[in-house]
């Protein structure tokens, strides 16, 4: 009966959304995430700096580590084990080991709206990832990423543009410029039905 209720909630978009909001009320309070929008959701808060600014409908998957001074634009998604780190030790003081050299001034790290950062990606502190960009899993992002580009590799480089035409980009810009609103949530992967040809 409990499993049937869970499945019913998972299949109902609004129930799932408000369930997430309820869970995050507790998590935001416990982990002191004061600057995260009520629609922000994460599976795991342990590695997230309490000054994270997360806008509407942002998502962090499991085991993400997010350092200080990070801002995630609306609709941004972080896959599992994404790290937003670095800039935390002075290393160029001749005659002083980095262990004792202190810390430099932190540079803010930002994503625009609708950014998707794949699993295992490392984003170095101080980087800005433009709206609508996608970072491939396992990439190491050391430089700013322009809007609507797909980057991957170590260090990350442009693979291609997200959209083929300026018209597609214009349409997407118009959608992102609107006030963020709830859309259809993706079903959890384990809940998606298997295509008939693969069912045994």
């Amino acid at each position: 009966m409990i499993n049937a209720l869970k499945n019913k909630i998972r299949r109902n978009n609004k129930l799932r959304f408000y369930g997430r909001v309820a869970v995050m009320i507790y998590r935001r309070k416990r982990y002191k995430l004061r600057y995260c929008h009520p629609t922000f959701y994460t599976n795991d808060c342990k590695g997230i700096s309490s000054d994270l600014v997360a806008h509407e409908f942002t998502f962090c998957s499991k085991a993400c580590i997010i350092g200080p001074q990070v801002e995630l634009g609306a609709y941004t998604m972080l896959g599992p084990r994404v790290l937003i780190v670095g800039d935390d030790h002075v290393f160029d003081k001749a005659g002083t080991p980095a262990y004792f050299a202190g810390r430099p001034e932190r540079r803010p790290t930002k994503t625009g709206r609708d950014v998707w950062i794949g699993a295992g990606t490392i984003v170095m502190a101080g980087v800005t990832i433009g709206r609508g960009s996608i970072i491939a899993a396992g990439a190491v992002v050391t430089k700013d990423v322009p809007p609507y580009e797909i980057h991957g590799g170590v260090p990350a480089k442009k693979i291609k543009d997200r959209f083929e035409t300026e018209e597609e980009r214009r349409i997407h810009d118009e959608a992102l410029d609107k006030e963020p609103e709830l859309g259809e949530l993706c079903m959890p992967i384990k809940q998606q039905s298997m295509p008939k040809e693969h069912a045994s």
Side-chain angles (χ1 to χ4, degrees):
M1 182 162 165
I2 291 173
N3 282 339
L5 181 62
K6 281 183 182 177
N7 287 333
K8 186 176 181 180
I9 290 169
R10 285 184 178 127
R11 288 191 191 105
N12 184 307
N13 193 54
K14 285 193 176 178
L15 280 177
R16 273 183 60 226
F17 172 70
Y18 288 114
R20 283 179 163 197
V21 169
V23 166
M24 284 308 298
I25 288 170
Y26 165 75
R27 289 181 182 163
R28 282 199 322 274
K29 189 169 184 175
R30 179 176 177 196
Y31 293 97
K32 298 181 174 72
L33 299 173
R34 297 180 191 93
Y35 311 108
C36 295
H37 192 270
T39 58
F40 164 72
Y41 184 76
T42 181
N43 302 92
D44 180 6
C45 301
K46 291 174 195 153
I48 297 176
S49 179
S50 62
D51 70 345
L52 171 67
V53 177
H55 292 277
E56 298 91 334
F57 306 106
T58 48
F59 172 76
C60 295
S61 195
K62 295 177 183 176
C64 289
I65 296 176
I66 301 176
Q69 287 189 266
V70 174
E71 181 176 357
L72 303 177
Y75 310 117
T76 291
M77 298 186 297
L78 274 58
R81 301 177 314 282
V82 168
L83 309 178
I84 302 178
V85 294
D87 245 14
D88 56 357
H89 287 286
V90 172
F91 57 84
D92 56 358
K93 274 190 182 176
T96 305
Y99 190 93
F100 301 113
R103 297 183 190 279
E105 188 175 331
R106 288 294 296 197
R107 295 178 296 157
T109 308
K110 296 182 179 183
T111 74
R113 290 185 171 196
D114 191 31
V115 168
W116 180 13
I117 301 177
T121 295
I122 299 171
V123 178
M124 299 306 294
V127 164
T128 296
I129 300 175
R131 68 160 39 190
S133 291
I134 297 171
I135 308 300
V140 176
V141 183
T142 60
K143 296 179 181 174
D144 290 355
V145 175
Y148 298 117
E149 291 187 1
I150 299 172
H151 284 228
V154 181
K157 292 180 180 163
K158 181 178 177 180
I159 298 170
K160 65 177 192 172
D161 291 313
R162 179 172 172 182
F163 299 114
E164 291 184 10
T165 67
E166 283 299 315
E167 177 65 9
E168 289 174 312
R169 185 173 166 156
R170 185 191 62 75
I171 290 167
H172 206 72
D173 265 334
E174 286 178 5
L176 294 183
D177 287 339
K178 293 177 184 172
E179 196 65 31
E181 58 184 35
L182 178 63
E184 189 69 30
L185 296 173
C186 293
M187 287 290 286
I189 291 173
K190 62 184 175 185
Q191 293 299 316
Q192 291 176 345
S193 56
M194 188 180 292
K196 288 179 183 176
E197 63 269 18
H198 297 295
S200 52

